[in-house]
Amino acid sequence: ALYIGCQNTALPKLHRQFMQPLQVGQKRPPLESLKQLPGATEIAFNELQLYVFWSAECPPCVIEFDQFHRWLKHNRPEIQVTAIAIQGNSSSWQADKQAFDSWKHLIDTRSWEGEVARDWQVTLLPYFVLTNASGTITSTFSNTQALRQALER
């Protein structure tokens, strides 16, 4: 099933309008905002990497991730996944992240106002950015169905 994601309504509409989406072929945003989050030292950022932006408070994220996590673990285990929660409350995240045990997990409790959401141009959850080992963006997606189809090729 395809779900409509959770939009960043905290950003004024005018501000969202001027955010430039990440483009395939460009270098990923600088990693400084991610490296400042608790747990980031355990992550190797120089591999085939899928950055997953989500929230445990976003029902479409949790619903879509359950099947996608199992599929990815079985079909594409070489892809390192870093799941970054964009949410102010960490209690639901602590419980929900356990279901996605093969992923590395970070949380930006500054939510939509944080540097991570701004640097990575996150305006909708879930949001996926796939990069190669040199950090070049190879794909971006807003749902697991499209992402899965691309990874099956």
Side-chain angles (χ1 to χ4, degrees):
L2 180 62
Y3 297 91
I4 297 173
C6 301
Q7 188 166 15
N8 178 356
T9 55
L11 281 177
K13 185 177 180 181
L14 187 61
H15 182 70
R16 279 195 308 269
Q17 196 174 348
F18 290 107
M19 289 180 84
Q20 296 296 316
L22 299 178
Q23 300 292 318
V24 171
Q26 79 180 49
K27 196 80 165 155
R28 71 169 176 252
L31 296 172
E32 282 70 34
S33 58
L34 291 181
K35 288 181 176 181
Q36 292 176 20
L37 300 177
T41 55
E42 303 168 13
I43 298 171
F45 292 104
N46 59 346
E47 301 175 14
L48 179 60
Q49 182 86 32
L50 177 63
Y51 297 92
V52 175
F53 297 90
W54 74 298
S55 171
E57 298 166 344
C58 170
C61 296
V62 178
I63 292 167
E64 284 193 46
F65 287 4
D66 184 44
Q67 289 181 331
F68 180 70
H69 175 262
R70 283 180 285 181
W71 178 88
L72 192 65
K73 194 174 182 178
H74 178 65
N75 293 288
R76 297 298 304 268
E78 77 279 11
I79 297 176
Q80 179 175 317
V81 178
T82 300
I84 304 104
I86 305 292
Q87 64 184 71
N89 179 347
S90 66
S91 61
S92 60
W93 171 75
Q94 288 290 347
D96 285 346
K97 74 176 186 169
Q98 300 306 316
F100 316 117
D101 59 348
S102 63
W103 296 358
K104 302 290 185 185
H105 291 275
L106 303 173
I107 184 170
D108 189 346
T109 55
R110 294 166 295 180
S111 192
W112 297 109
E113 292 80 27
E115 288 177 42
V116 172
R118 185 188 64 236
D119 290 353
W120 289 79
Q121 305 298 322
V122 180
T123 60
L124 183 71
L125 298 175
Y127 179 59
F128 306 90
V129 178
L130 186 63
T131 64
N132 62 21
S134 65
T136 301
I137 297 171
T138 58
S139 307
T140 63
F141 302 92
S142 60
N143 65 71
T144 57
Q145 184 178 0
L147 173 57
R148 185 173 165 170
Q149 288 173 349
L151 293 175
E152 287 175 338
R153 290 186 212 140

